[in-house]
Amino acid sequence: MRVFAQTKPLIAELTNIASDKSISHRCAIFSLLSDKKSVIKNYLRAEDTLNTLNIVRELGAVITDENGTITITPPAKIAEPKVVLECGNSGTAMRIFMGLLAAQDGFFVLSGDKYLNNRPMARVAKPLIKVGARIDGTSGGDKAPLCIRGKKLDYFKFKSEISSAQIKTALLLAGLYSNGCEFSEDELSRDHTERMLKGMGAKISDENGVIKLEAMTKPLNPLEISVPNDPSSAFFFAVAACVVPGSHIVLKNVLLNKTRIEAYKILEKMGADIKFTKTSEKYEEIGEIEIKYAKLKAVDVGENISWLIDEAPALAVAFSVASGVSTLRNAAELRVKESDRIGVVVANLKACGIEVSEFDDGFSVKGGVAKSAVIDSHGDHRIAMSFAILGLSCGMDILKSEFIATSFPNFSDILRQMGARVED
Protein backbone atom coordinates (compact mmCIF):
# COMPACT_ATOMS: atom_id res chain seq x y z
CA MET A 1 0.00 0.00 0.00
CA ARG A 2 1.15 3.53 -0.76
CA VAL A 3 -0.36 6.52 1.04
CA PHE A 4 0.29 10.03 -0.24
CA ALA A 5 0.62 13.16 1.88
CA GLN A 6 -2.73 14.86 2.36
CA THR A 7 -3.06 18.47 1.16
CA LYS A 8 -6.71 19.05 2.13
CA PRO A 9 -8.71 18.43 5.33
CA LEU A 10 -10.47 15.09 5.74
CA ILE A 11 -14.24 15.63 5.91
CA ALA A 12 -16.65 12.72 6.17
CA GLU A 13 -19.47 10.96 8.01
CA LEU A 14 -18.51 7.29 8.11
CA THR A 15 -21.15 4.59 8.34
CA ASN A 16 -19.30 1.74 6.64
CA ILE A 17 -16.62 1.20 9.27
CA ALA A 18 -15.76 -2.44 9.93
CA SER A 19 -18.23 -4.17 12.24
CA ASP A 20 -16.92 -4.91 15.71
CA LYS A 21 -14.46 -7.78 15.53
CA SER A 22 -14.63 -8.85 19.18
CA ILE A 23 -18.42 -9.02 19.17
CA SER A 24 -18.54 -10.75 15.78
CA HIS A 25 -16.25 -13.54 17.00
CA ARG A 26 -18.40 -13.98 20.11
CA CYS A 27 -21.68 -13.94 18.17
CA ALA A 28 -20.52 -16.86 16.05
CA ILE A 29 -19.07 -18.86 18.95
CA PHE A 30 -21.82 -18.09 21.48
CA SER A 31 -24.49 -19.22 19.02
CA LEU A 32 -23.35 -22.73 19.98
CA LEU A 33 -24.57 -22.10 23.55
CA SER A 34 -28.22 -22.20 22.45
CA ASP A 35 -30.48 -24.83 20.89
CA LYS A 36 -32.30 -22.29 18.71
CA LYS A 37 -31.32 -20.19 15.71
CA SER A 38 -29.26 -17.07 16.31
CA VAL A 39 -29.77 -14.16 13.92
CA ILE A 40 -26.81 -11.81 13.42
CA LYS A 41 -26.90 -8.67 11.32
CA ASN A 42 -23.86 -6.60 10.31
CA TYR A 43 -21.45 -9.46 11.08
CA LEU A 44 -17.86 -8.57 10.20
CA ARG A 45 -16.97 -10.20 6.90
CA ALA A 46 -13.20 -10.23 7.30
CA GLU A 47 -10.81 -13.16 7.05
CA ASP A 48 -10.52 -13.69 10.81
CA THR A 49 -14.24 -13.68 11.55
CA LEU A 50 -15.11 -15.74 8.48
CA ASN A 51 -12.64 -18.37 9.71
CA THR A 52 -14.50 -18.37 13.02
CA LEU A 53 -17.77 -19.02 11.18
CA ASN A 54 -16.12 -21.90 9.33
CA ILE A 55 -15.02 -23.46 12.62
CA VAL A 56 -18.55 -23.13 14.04
CA ARG A 57 -19.76 -24.95 10.90
CA GLU A 58 -17.16 -27.72 11.40
CA LEU A 59 -18.47 -28.12 14.95
CA GLY A 60 -21.87 -29.00 13.54
CA ALA A 61 -23.77 -25.73 13.05
CA VAL A 62 -25.76 -24.93 9.92
CA ILE A 63 -25.06 -21.39 8.70
CA THR A 64 -26.89 -19.31 6.12
CA ASP A 65 -25.90 -15.85 4.91
CA GLU A 66 -28.66 -14.01 3.07
CA ASN A 67 -29.28 -10.30 2.49
CA GLY A 68 -26.64 -9.27 5.01
CA THR A 69 -28.04 -11.46 7.80
CA ILE A 70 -26.29 -14.55 9.14
CA THR A 71 -28.43 -17.27 10.70
CA ILE A 72 -26.73 -19.97 12.77
CA THR A 73 -28.60 -23.14 13.70
CA PRO A 74 -26.55 -24.88 16.40
CA PRO A 75 -26.11 -28.65 16.63
CA ALA A 76 -27.75 -30.64 19.40
CA LYS A 77 -24.22 -31.40 20.58
CA ILE A 78 -20.90 -29.91 19.50
CA ALA A 79 -19.44 -32.36 17.01
CA GLU A 80 -15.95 -33.84 17.09
CA PRO A 81 -14.52 -32.57 13.77
CA LYS A 82 -12.63 -34.72 11.31
CA VAL A 83 -10.38 -31.83 10.27
CA VAL A 84 -8.02 -29.31 11.83
CA LEU A 85 -9.89 -26.17 12.92
CA GLU A 86 -8.17 -23.32 11.09
CA CYS A 87 -8.16 -19.95 12.90
CA GLY A 88 -6.17 -18.08 10.26
CA ASN A 89 -4.52 -15.04 11.84
CA SER A 90 -6.89 -14.68 14.80
CA GLY A 91 -5.53 -15.14 18.31
CA THR A 92 -8.93 -14.14 19.69
CA ALA A 93 -10.65 -17.03 17.94
CA MET A 94 -8.02 -19.58 18.92
CA ARG A 95 -8.01 -18.57 22.59
CA ILE A 96 -11.80 -18.45 22.94
CA PHE A 97 -12.21 -21.81 21.20
CA MET A 98 -9.62 -23.28 23.58
CA GLY A 99 -11.94 -22.56 26.51
CA LEU A 100 -15.10 -23.73 24.75
CA LEU A 101 -13.59 -26.98 23.48
CA ALA A 102 -11.72 -27.77 26.72
CA ALA A 103 -15.09 -28.66 28.28
CA GLN A 104 -16.53 -30.64 25.33
CA ASP A 105 -16.51 -34.39 24.87
CA GLY A 106 -14.12 -34.94 21.98
CA PHE A 107 -10.72 -34.34 20.42
CA PHE A 108 -9.97 -31.05 18.69
CA VAL A 109 -6.96 -29.52 16.91
CA LEU A 110 -6.64 -25.75 16.51
CA SER A 111 -4.14 -24.22 14.08
CA GLY A 112 -3.56 -21.00 12.14
CA ASP A 113 -1.29 -19.26 9.68
CA LYS A 114 2.47 -19.02 10.20
CA TYR A 115 2.10 -15.82 12.22
CA LEU A 116 -0.58 -17.14 14.57
CA ASN A 117 1.24 -20.43 15.07
CA ASN A 118 4.25 -18.47 16.29
CA ARG A 119 2.29 -16.61 18.96
CA PRO A 120 2.26 -17.75 22.62
CA MET A 121 -0.84 -19.67 23.68
CA ALA A 122 0.32 -20.82 27.11
CA ARG A 123 -1.14 -17.63 28.58
CA VAL A 124 -4.57 -19.25 28.04
CA ALA A 125 -3.57 -22.93 27.99
CA LYS A 126 -1.88 -22.84 31.41
CA PRO A 127 -4.91 -21.37 33.26
CA LEU A 128 -7.15 -23.93 31.56
CA ILE A 129 -4.76 -26.77 32.40
CA LYS A 130 -4.60 -25.52 35.99
CA VAL A 131 -8.36 -25.96 36.34
CA GLY A 132 -8.27 -29.44 34.81
CA ALA A 133 -8.25 -29.08 31.02
CA ARG A 134 -6.12 -31.34 28.78
CA ILE A 135 -4.28 -29.22 26.21
CA ASP A 136 -0.95 -29.70 24.44
CA GLY A 137 0.88 -28.11 21.52
CA THR A 138 4.20 -27.41 19.90
CA SER A 139 7.07 -25.63 21.74
CA GLY A 140 6.22 -27.43 24.96
CA GLY A 141 2.53 -26.65 24.64
CA ASP A 142 3.01 -22.92 24.13
CA LYS A 143 2.21 -22.69 20.43
CA ALA A 144 -0.24 -24.01 17.87
CA PRO A 145 -1.14 -26.43 16.46
CA LEU A 146 -2.89 -27.17 19.76
CA CYS A 147 -4.49 -30.48 20.67
CA ILE A 148 -7.44 -30.49 23.08
CA ARG A 149 -8.95 -33.59 24.64
CA GLY A 150 -12.12 -32.12 26.06
CA LYS A 151 -13.88 -33.15 29.26
CA LYS A 152 -16.24 -31.68 31.83
CA LEU A 153 -14.28 -29.78 34.49
CA ASP A 154 -14.85 -29.50 38.22
CA TYR A 155 -16.06 -26.21 39.72
CA PHE A 156 -13.09 -23.84 39.91
CA LYS A 157 -11.99 -20.46 41.19
CA PHE A 158 -9.35 -18.63 39.19
CA LYS A 159 -7.65 -15.26 39.63
CA SER A 160 -5.82 -14.13 36.50
CA GLU A 161 -2.54 -12.25 36.86
CA ILE A 162 -3.13 -10.83 33.38
CA SER A 163 -6.12 -8.61 32.61
CA SER A 164 -7.25 -10.17 29.36
CA ALA A 165 -10.71 -10.61 27.87
CA GLN A 166 -9.42 -13.64 25.96
CA ILE A 167 -8.30 -15.43 29.14
CA LYS A 168 -11.52 -14.44 30.91
CA THR A 169 -13.74 -15.64 28.06
CA ALA A 170 -11.90 -18.96 27.76
CA LEU A 171 -12.24 -19.67 31.48
CA LEU A 172 -15.89 -18.61 31.64
CA LEU A 173 -16.87 -20.82 28.69
CA ALA A 174 -15.04 -23.78 30.25
CA GLY A 175 -16.87 -23.18 33.52
CA LEU A 176 -20.23 -22.65 31.84
CA TYR A 177 -20.06 -26.05 30.13
CA SER A 178 -18.76 -27.76 33.27
CA ASN A 179 -19.79 -27.12 36.87
CA GLY A 180 -19.56 -23.34 37.07
CA CYS A 181 -16.71 -21.12 38.19
CA GLU A 182 -15.50 -17.91 39.78
CA PHE A 183 -13.12 -15.62 37.90
CA SER A 184 -11.32 -12.42 38.85
CA GLU A 185 -8.57 -10.21 37.42
CA ASP A 186 -6.60 -7.22 38.70
CA GLU A 187 -8.13 -4.77 36.23
CA LEU A 188 -11.44 -5.11 34.39
CA SER A 189 -10.81 -6.23 30.80
CA ARG A 190 -13.32 -5.91 27.98
CA ASP A 191 -16.66 -7.13 29.28
CA HIS A 192 -18.46 -8.19 26.08
CA THR A 193 -18.55 -11.81 27.22
CA GLU A 194 -20.26 -11.05 30.52
CA ARG A 195 -22.80 -8.77 28.84
CA MET A 196 -23.63 -11.24 26.10
CA LEU A 197 -23.88 -14.24 28.42
CA LYS A 198 -26.21 -12.29 30.71
CA GLY A 199 -28.29 -11.22 27.71
CA MET A 200 -28.57 -14.88 26.68
CA GLY A 201 -29.85 -15.88 30.09
CA ALA A 202 -26.74 -17.27 31.77
CA LYS A 203 -26.67 -17.04 35.56
CA ILE A 204 -23.74 -14.67 35.91
CA SER A 205 -22.95 -11.95 38.43
CA ASP A 206 -20.10 -9.62 39.31
CA GLU A 207 -19.57 -9.09 43.02
CA ASN A 208 -16.75 -6.69 43.83
CA GLY A 209 -14.76 -7.74 40.78
CA VAL A 210 -15.39 -11.48 41.22
CA ILE A 211 -17.42 -12.96 38.37
CA LYS A 212 -19.57 -15.88 39.47
CA LEU A 213 -21.00 -18.10 36.75
CA GLU A 214 -23.30 -21.07 37.28
CA ALA A 215 -23.10 -24.15 35.12
CA MET A 216 -25.38 -24.23 32.08
CA THR A 217 -28.16 -26.69 32.96
CA LYS A 218 -30.13 -25.97 29.77
CA PRO A 219 -29.28 -24.22 26.49
CA LEU A 220 -29.14 -20.43 26.60
CA ASN A 221 -31.39 -18.10 24.65
CA PRO A 222 -30.33 -17.47 21.03
CA LEU A 223 -28.79 -14.22 19.92
CA GLU A 224 -30.69 -11.63 17.93
CA ILE A 225 -28.24 -8.82 17.40
CA SER A 226 -26.98 -6.22 14.97
CA VAL A 227 -23.23 -5.91 15.47
CA PRO A 228 -22.18 -2.25 15.98
CA ASN A 229 -19.19 -0.74 14.23
CA ASP A 230 -15.82 -1.42 15.78
CA PRO A 231 -14.39 1.47 17.86
CA SER A 232 -10.90 -0.01 17.50
CA SER A 233 -11.18 0.11 13.71
CA ALA A 234 -12.83 3.54 13.81
CA PHE A 235 -9.99 4.87 15.97
CA PHE A 236 -7.65 5.01 12.96
CA PHE A 237 -9.89 7.69 11.46
CA ALA A 238 -10.12 9.56 14.76
CA VAL A 239 -6.32 9.78 14.73
CA ALA A 240 -6.41 10.79 11.06
CA ALA A 241 -8.57 13.77 12.03
CA CYS A 242 -5.85 14.75 14.51
CA VAL A 243 -3.07 14.33 11.93
CA VAL A 244 -4.51 16.40 9.09
CA PRO A 245 -5.29 20.07 9.97
CA GLY A 246 -8.88 21.21 9.47
CA SER A 247 -10.33 17.70 9.45
CA HIS A 248 -13.82 16.86 10.73
CA ILE A 249 -14.88 13.21 10.99
CA VAL A 250 -18.11 11.68 12.34
CA LEU A 251 -18.07 7.96 13.16
CA LYS A 252 -21.56 6.43 13.03
CA ASN A 253 -23.11 3.39 14.79
CA VAL A 254 -20.01 2.82 16.94
CA LEU A 255 -19.83 0.67 20.07
CA LEU A 256 -19.50 3.00 23.11
CA ASN A 257 -18.74 0.40 25.79
CA LYS A 258 -16.44 2.10 28.32
CA THR A 259 -13.88 -0.68 28.01
CA ARG A 260 -13.59 0.05 24.28
CA ILE A 261 -13.34 3.87 24.03
CA GLU A 262 -10.43 4.48 26.39
CA ALA A 263 -8.14 5.43 23.50
CA TYR A 264 -10.60 8.17 22.51
CA LYS A 265 -10.52 9.41 26.10
CA ILE A 266 -6.71 9.60 25.84
CA LEU A 267 -7.07 11.68 22.66
CA GLU A 268 -9.39 13.99 24.62
CA LYS A 269 -6.71 14.39 27.31
CA MET A 270 -4.27 15.28 24.53
CA GLY A 271 -6.54 18.12 23.43
CA ALA A 272 -8.59 16.53 20.65
CA ASP A 273 -12.08 17.94 20.09
CA ILE A 274 -14.29 14.85 20.59
CA LYS A 275 -18.02 14.47 21.23
CA PHE A 276 -19.82 11.21 22.13
CA THR A 277 -23.56 10.77 21.48
CA LYS A 278 -25.39 7.60 22.58
CA THR A 279 -28.19 6.57 20.20
CA SER A 280 -29.22 3.10 21.41
CA GLU A 281 -28.61 0.39 24.01
CA LYS A 282 -29.47 -3.32 24.06
CA TYR A 283 -26.60 -5.72 24.60
CA GLU A 284 -24.25 -2.71 24.39
CA GLU A 285 -24.25 1.10 24.27
CA ILE A 286 -24.04 2.34 20.66
CA GLY A 287 -23.77 5.84 19.23
CA GLU A 288 -21.59 8.23 17.26
CA ILE A 289 -18.24 9.90 17.83
CA GLU A 290 -17.43 13.29 16.31
CA ILE A 291 -13.79 14.42 16.02
CA LYS A 292 -12.53 17.79 14.89
CA TYR A 293 -8.89 18.65 14.33
CA ALA A 294 -7.04 20.23 17.23
CA LYS A 295 -3.35 20.42 18.07
CA LEU A 296 -2.35 17.65 20.45
CA LYS A 297 -0.16 17.81 23.54
CA ALA A 298 1.84 15.04 25.18
CA VAL A 299 0.30 12.63 27.66
CA ASP A 300 1.42 9.80 29.95
CA VAL A 301 -0.61 6.59 29.71
CA GLY A 302 -0.25 3.81 32.27
CA GLU A 303 -3.76 2.80 33.39
CA ASN A 304 -6.61 0.80 31.88
CA ILE A 305 -4.16 -0.60 29.36
CA SER A 306 -6.33 -3.64 28.64
CA TRP A 307 -9.00 -1.17 27.44
CA LEU A 308 -6.76 0.28 24.71
CA ILE A 309 -4.36 -2.52 23.85
CA ASP A 310 -5.59 -2.80 20.24
CA GLU A 311 -5.41 0.96 19.71
CA ALA A 312 -1.86 1.36 21.04
CA PRO A 313 -0.13 1.46 17.59
CA ALA A 314 -2.51 4.18 16.36
CA LEU A 315 -2.12 5.99 19.67
CA ALA A 316 1.64 5.99 19.04
CA VAL A 317 0.92 7.84 15.79
CA ALA A 318 -1.03 10.44 17.78
CA PHE A 319 1.97 10.71 20.13
CA SER A 320 4.23 11.37 17.13
CA VAL A 321 2.31 14.52 16.10
CA ALA A 322 1.77 15.88 19.64
CA SER A 323 3.93 18.56 21.26
CA GLY A 324 6.19 17.13 23.96
CA VAL A 325 7.09 13.60 25.04
CA SER A 326 4.30 11.04 25.50
CA THR A 327 4.71 7.68 27.23
CA LEU A 328 2.88 4.36 27.27
CA ARG A 329 3.76 1.99 30.13
CA ASN A 330 2.39 -1.23 31.68
CA ALA A 331 1.69 -2.53 28.18
CA ALA A 332 3.92 -5.62 27.97
CA GLU A 333 0.87 -7.40 26.51
CA LEU A 334 1.77 -5.66 23.23
CA ARG A 335 4.76 -7.97 22.89
CA VAL A 336 2.50 -10.99 22.23
CA LYS A 337 -0.02 -9.59 19.74
CA GLU A 338 0.08 -10.22 15.96
CA SER A 339 3.62 -8.85 16.15
CA ASP A 340 5.84 -7.52 18.93
CA ARG A 341 3.98 -4.24 18.68
CA ILE A 342 6.34 -2.40 21.02
CA GLY A 343 9.43 -3.29 19.00
CA VAL A 344 7.72 -2.83 15.63
CA VAL A 345 6.17 0.55 16.53
CA VAL A 346 9.52 1.81 17.82
CA ALA A 347 11.45 0.64 14.75
CA ASN A 348 8.96 2.12 12.31
CA LEU A 349 8.67 5.46 14.11
CA LYS A 350 12.45 5.72 14.04
CA ALA A 351 12.36 5.01 10.31
CA CYS A 352 10.02 8.01 10.02
CA GLY A 353 12.52 10.25 11.83
CA ILE A 354 10.57 10.38 15.10
CA GLU A 355 12.54 10.29 18.35
CA VAL A 356 11.36 7.29 20.38
CA SER A 357 12.60 5.15 23.28
CA GLU A 358 11.70 1.51 23.91
CA PHE A 359 10.86 0.00 27.31
CA ASP A 360 10.09 -3.57 28.26
CA ASP A 361 6.47 -2.57 28.78
CA GLY A 362 5.98 0.32 26.37
CA PHE A 363 7.65 3.31 24.75
CA SER A 364 8.07 7.10 24.84
CA VAL A 365 7.59 9.27 21.78
CA LYS A 366 8.76 12.84 21.21
CA GLY A 367 6.37 14.56 18.86
CA GLY A 368 7.87 15.94 15.68
CA VAL A 369 7.55 16.02 11.91
CA ALA A 370 7.44 12.56 10.36
CA LYS A 371 9.18 11.83 7.07
CA SER A 372 8.18 9.38 4.38
CA ALA A 373 9.48 5.84 4.87
CA VAL A 374 9.02 2.21 3.88
CA ILE A 375 7.19 0.48 6.74
CA ASP A 376 7.42 -3.23 7.52
CA SER A 377 4.11 -4.22 9.12
CA HIS A 378 5.45 -7.68 10.04
CA GLY A 379 2.10 -9.08 8.90
CA ASP A 380 0.27 -7.09 11.60
CA HIS A 381 -2.91 -5.41 10.35
CA ARG A 382 -2.96 -2.74 13.07
CA ILE A 383 0.65 -1.74 12.41
CA ALA A 384 -0.11 -1.42 8.69
CA MET A 385 -3.21 0.73 9.28
CA SER A 386 -1.56 2.92 11.93
CA PHE A 387 1.35 3.88 9.69
CA ALA A 388 -0.99 4.42 6.76
CA ILE A 389 -2.61 7.10 8.95
CA LEU A 390 0.78 8.67 9.73
CA GLY A 391 1.43 8.58 5.99
CA LEU A 392 -1.37 11.12 5.52
CA SER A 393 1.07 13.71 6.87
CA CYS A 394 4.16 12.75 4.86
CA GLY A 395 3.50 9.85 2.47
CA MET A 396 4.26 6.20 3.29
CA ASP A 397 4.85 2.81 1.69
CA ILE A 398 3.45 -0.09 3.75
CA LEU A 399 4.81 -3.61 3.24
CA LYS A 400 2.57 -6.65 3.88
CA SER A 401 -0.49 -4.40 3.83
CA GLU A 402 -2.58 -7.33 2.57
CA PHE A 403 -2.99 -8.39 6.21
CA ILE A 404 -5.36 -5.46 6.72
CA ALA A 405 -7.99 -7.74 5.18
CA THR A 406 -7.92 -9.94 8.30
CA SER A 407 -9.95 -7.30 10.16
CA PHE A 408 -10.83 -4.37 7.89
CA PRO A 409 -11.20 -5.20 4.18
CA ASN A 410 -12.55 -1.76 3.17
CA PHE A 411 -9.97 0.32 5.08
CA SER A 412 -8.44 1.79 1.91
CA ASP A 413 -11.89 2.52 0.47
CA ILE A 414 -12.80 4.56 3.53
CA LEU A 415 -9.55 6.53 3.33
CA ARG A 416 -10.48 7.41 -0.26
CA GLN A 417 -14.01 8.30 0.85
CA MET A 418 -12.45 10.78 3.29
CA GLY A 419 -10.48 12.38 0.45
CA ALA A 420 -7.13 10.62 0.88
CA ARG A 421 -5.04 9.34 -2.02
CA VAL A 422 -4.18 5.68 -1.55
CA GLU A 423 -2.79 2.98 -3.86
CA ASP A 424 -3.22 -0.66 -2.82
Side-chain angles (χ1 to χ4, degrees):
M1 171 190 288
R2 173 169 292 177
V3 181
F4 295 87
Q6 188 69 16
T7 59
K8 297 180 180 179
L10 303 170
I11 310 292
E13 288 193 359
L14 303 179
T15 60
N16 55 338
I17 304 160
S19 306
D20 191 83
K21 187 179 179 185
S22 296
I23 293 180
S24 292
H25 278 305
R26 285 164 174 79
C27 283
I29 297 169
F30 289 12
S31 69
L32 296 170
L33 308 180
S34 181
D35 60 349
K36 298 180 177 64
K37 292 181 180 179
S38 286
V39 179
I40 307 162
K41 296 181 179 180
N42 202 38
Y43 186 86
L44 176 62
R45 287 165 173 78
E47 291 177 6
D48 281 354
T49 48
L50 292 175
N51 283 329
T52 295
L53 275 182
N54 286 333
I55 291 175
V56 170
R57 185 180 289 109
E58 294 291 351
L59 295 174
V62 176
I63 301 174
T64 61
D65 187 352
E66 297 178 353
N67 301 318
T69 298
I70 289 176
T71 301
I72 304 177
T73 303
K77 178 181 181 296
I78 290 176
E80 183 179 65
K82 303 301 182 184
V83 298
V84 173
L85 302 174
E86 294 289 349
C87 300
N89 191 247
S90 178
T92 297
M94 181 170 285
R95 288 164 177 156
I96 292 178
F97 275 120
M98 286 168 66
L100 175 77
L101 299 176
Q104 307 302 319
D105 180 24
F107 178 74
F108 310 89
V109 180
L110 293 166
S111 189
D113 65 17
K114 66 179 182 179
Y115 295 97
L116 181 57
N117 284 2
N118 198 41
R119 291 174 61 187
M121 292 295 149
R123 57 196 290 102
V124 176
K126 284 184 177 179
L128 286 168
I129 291 169
K130 188 173 182 180
V131 301
R134 296 176 292 186
I135 301 174
D136 201 359
T138 60
S139 299
D142 183 37
K143 295 178 181 178
L146 297 170
C147 300
I148 301 169
R149 175 68 70 181
K151 66 171 185 174
K152 192 171 184 178
L153 308 178
D154 294 330
Y155 182 89
F156 62 84
K157 297 180 180 180
F158 188 84
K159 178 176 174 57
S160 179
E161 297 178 357
I162 303 171
S163 296
S164 165
Q166 295 174 355
I167 295 173
K168 175 169 60 179
T169 301
L171 270 292
L172 290 179
L173 289 181
L176 181 69
Y177 265 102
S178 297
N179 290 293
C181 65
E182 293 183 20
F183 179 90
S184 60
E185 54 190 350
D186 289 335
E187 177 185 277
L188 175 67
S189 61
R190 293 178 178 181
D191 62 353
H192 303 311
T193 293
E194 301 97 295
R195 288 172 178 260
M196 292 180 71
L197 289 178
K198 186 174 182 179
M200 296 177 74
K203 295 180 179 179
I204 185 170
S205 63
D206 188 335
E207 301 175 11
N208 300 316
V210 178
I211 299 170
K212 296 183 178 181
L213 177 64
E214 295 185 20
M216 185 171 63
T217 57
K218 63 179 181 179
L220 301 185
N221 299 323
L223 288 165
E224 187 170 347
I225 186 173
S226 179
V227 180
N229 291 335
D230 192 327
S232 299
S233 295
F235 188 66
F236 296 108
F237 309 121
V239 174
C242 298
V243 167
V244 181
S247 296
H248 182 187
I249 302 296
V250 180
L251 308 168
K252 296 282 194 177
N253 191 38
V254 177
L255 179 67
L256 297 181
N257 182 307
K258 72 174 184 179
T259 67
R260 296 295 303 281
I261 59 171
E262 184 71 7
Y264 295 87
K265 296 295 185 180
I266 299 300
L267 276 188
E268 271 193 314
K269 291 180 181 178
M270 297 176 73
D273 184 351
I274 301 181
K275 179 182 178 182
F276 302 89
T277 303
K278 185 169 73 173
T279 56
S280 64
E281 181 176 10
K282 187 178 180 182
Y283 293 100
E284 297 274 4
E285 293 183 359
I286 299 169
E288 66 180 40
I289 306 174
E290 181 179 9
I291 310 99
K292 296 179 182 178
Y293 174 82
K295 291 184 178 180
L296 302 182
K297 60 181 183 296
V299 68
D300 293 326
V301 182
E303 297 179 347
N304 294 331
I305 299 301
S306 64
W307 294 7
L308 51 76
I309 203 73
D310 283 341
E311 295 85 354
L315 200 56
V317 169
F319 289 175
S320 75
V321 300
S323 61
V325 178
S326 299
T327 61
L328 176 70
R329 302 300 298 257
N330 301 321
E333 176 81 0
L334 289 169
R335 298 281 189 187
V336 294
K337 303 300 282 184
E338 280 81 343
S339 67
D340 173 358
R341 285 182 176 163
I342 292 175
V344 173
V345 163
V346 167
N348 283 324
L349 284 178
K350 286 182 177 178
C352 295
I354 299 297
E355 187 176 329
V356 56
S357 297
E358 180 175 347
F359 314 127
D360 290 342
D361 64 346
F363 44 73
S364 67
V365 180
K366 183 178 181 180
V369 178
K371 66 179 183 181
S372 181
V374 176
I375 299 299
D376 186 349
S377 72
H378 291 261
D380 188 328
H381 55 127
R382 297 197 190 277
I383 295 293
M385 289 185 282
S386 297
F387 281 88
I389 296 303
L390 184 56
L392 295 172
S393 69
C394 58
M396 207 75 72
D397 287 313
I398 315 293
L399 303 180
K400 303 184 183 75
S401 61
E402 64 271 18
F403 284 89
I404 291 172
T406 64
S407 67
F408 203 161
N410 63 328
F411 174 74
S412 295
D413 293 336
I414 293 180
L415 284 179
R416 295 186 188 99
Q417 178 185 337
M418 294 164 59
R421 185 183 169 200
V422 181
E423 293 179 356
D424 291 323

